[in-house]
Amino acid sequence: MKVMARLCFLAVMILGLPAIAMSEDDVSGKLTIYVVNYPLQYFAQRIAEAHATVAFPVPPDVDPAFWNPGVEVIAEYQRADLIILNGANYAKWIDKVTLPRSKLVDTSASFKDQYIPLANLVMHTHGPGGEHADTGVAPTTWLDFHLAADQARAIADAMSRKRPALRDIFESNYKALEDDLLRLDRDLKGIVVSNMHEPLVASHPVYQYFARRYGLDIKSVHWEPHEVPTDEQWLELQAILREHPARWMIWEGAPEPESAATLKSLGINSVVFIPQGNTPADGNFLTVMLQNADRLRLVFSK
């Protein structure tokens, strides 16, 4: 009997069998929401306020795009009222497990035709996740703050479908969030407009939507802030600079001093613009993005 019970338990966790769906028709009470990255957690929590618990179980030192949850965490996602996805090929583990389709919310589904294909596949690492190559389409959609507002819209709509009685609250909170995101969008346009043709290099190819939205000329290498580039990586950068004379490199995080000093010797300054896929050590999504924007003012000042 113990063996049979264990098999049933594992089947429920892996396959999402009917036992998990028992609470789907419950339209009262606090929502339990699981998300796949920090921006979605921030959006969902602002829209729901105290009417939902929004869980983002990815460890702080792991890139959520390449994280793989264990069986127990998968079961937590299955039990949630809503599972908020980024779409755009983000969190590939989603395609390897069975999750209740009625609970899935693909927040970028409304703009799939605006996904940006990835052109060059280069093997690299993000923290303890192991070596991999980015494939398919660019995932960091929220760095186009207009698209980020669309993603928040999808979350608000999903919450209202689950809790119709709270629709007015969700809608009001969404509007406040949308105002913040679109103000950030306008601020970025104002910052870059005076010198938007400035050639830039990014330390990692995560700024595709950001570059397209704000009209920036960015070419990317595959460097990590906590690693000093190899001789081969420096040669790759110098090859880029011959046709793309950048004076600034945009980093996902503060670079190693040796990296920044070598760049400086090549006439390239460093500036940090944090994509913030994972939870920030301080502040929140909005404060981090405002700090990012402030740092960019120096890049685009003439």
Side-chain angles (χ1 to χ4, degrees):
M1 284 299 289
K2 288 184 177 179
V3 172
M4 183 60 69
R6 182 174 178 77
L7 288 174
C8 290
F9 175 68
L10 289 174
V12 168
M13 287 198 294
I14 300 299
L15 299 176
L17 291 179
I20 289 168
M22 288 177 63
S23 64
E24 282 190 51
D25 294 331
D26 181 10
V27 294
S28 62
K30 192 172 184 177
L31 287 167
T32 298
I33 299 173
Y34 270 65
V35 303
V36 297
N37 63 34
Y38 169 70
L40 298 178
Q41 184 189 35
Y42 176 77
F43 300 162
Q45 197 66 75
R46 276 200 56 176
I47 295 166
E49 290 186 323
H51 300 289
T53 297
V54 185
F56 171 53
V58 180
D61 61 340
V62 176
D63 185 340
F66 302 100
W67 176 65
N68 286 301
V71 172
E72 291 184 1
V73 177
I74 292 171
E76 292 172 6
Y77 275 87
Q78 291 172 334
R79 286 192 293 268
D81 296 303
L82 290 171
I83 304 168
I84 307 295
L85 309 179
N86 190 77
N89 211 28
Y90 194 96
K92 296 178 178 60
W93 66 269
I94 294 294
D95 297 328
K96 300 174 185 175
V97 302
T98 299
L99 298 172
R101 292 178 62 85
S102 63
K103 300 179 178 182
L104 298 177
V105 181
D106 181 348
T107 59
S108 63
S110 67
F111 55 82
K112 279 185 176 179
D113 59 339
Q114 299 179 53
Y115 285 170
I116 299 176
L118 293 173
N120 300 314
L121 307 182
V122 177
M123 297 303 294
H124 57 283
T125 61
H126 294 275
E131 193 174 53
H132 65 270
D134 299 324
T135 58
V137 297
T140 46
T141 52
W142 63 89
L143 292 184
D144 172 337
F145 298 111
H146 199 275
L147 295 183
D150 289 344
Q151 293 187 265
R153 172 80 269 172
I155 295 171
D157 289 345
M159 288 182 184
S160 293
R161 287 193 294 272
K162 281 289 182 182
R163 296 290 184 271
L166 300 174
R167 181 182 299 277
D168 289 348
I169 295 173
F170 295 151
E171 190 63 23
S172 176
N173 291 339
Y174 164 73
K175 287 295 184 185
L177 173 59
E178 181 189 41
D179 286 347
D180 285 342
L181 292 171
L182 296 186
R183 186 179 304 111
L184 193 54
D185 183 69
R186 290 192 297 273
D187 287 350
L188 260 299
K189 287 182 176 178
I191 289 170
V192 307
V193 70
S194 63
N195 197 17
M196 62 194 306
H197 299 299
E198 172 83 26
L200 304 168
V201 176
S203 67
H204 210 85
V206 294
Y207 300 101
Q208 298 92 340
Y209 296 96
F210 181 73
R212 184 179 66 184
R213 176 66 181 173
Y214 305 106
L216 305 182
D217 185 10
I218 299 179
K219 292 187 181 301
S220 299
V221 291
H222 283 75
W223 296 4
E224 300 296 337
H226 61 281
E227 297 174 357
V228 175
T230 64
D231 291 344
E232 183 181 5
Q233 288 174 314
W234 284 114
L235 290 173
E236 178 193 9
L237 173 63
Q238 289 170 348
I240 291 174
L241 294 176
R242 282 194 285 274
E243 297 182 353
H244 186 75
R247 297 184 301 147
W248 288 89
M249 176 175 279
I250 303 176
W251 291 84
E252 297 174 273
E256 288 291 319
E258 181 180 344
S259 304
T262 305
L263 282 172
K264 191 75 175 178
S265 72
L266 297 174
I268 302 174
N269 298 295
S270 295
V271 64
V272 174
F273 192 103
I274 306 171
Q276 211 57 70
N278 210 327
T279 309
D282 297 301
N284 57 44
F285 178 85
L286 188 62
T287 61
V288 169
M289 293 303 155
L290 289 171
Q291 291 165 359
N292 284 337
D294 277 345
R295 285 191 289 268
L296 281 187
R297 293 182 193 280
L298 184 60
V299 176
F300 293 97
S301 62
K302 287 187 175 179

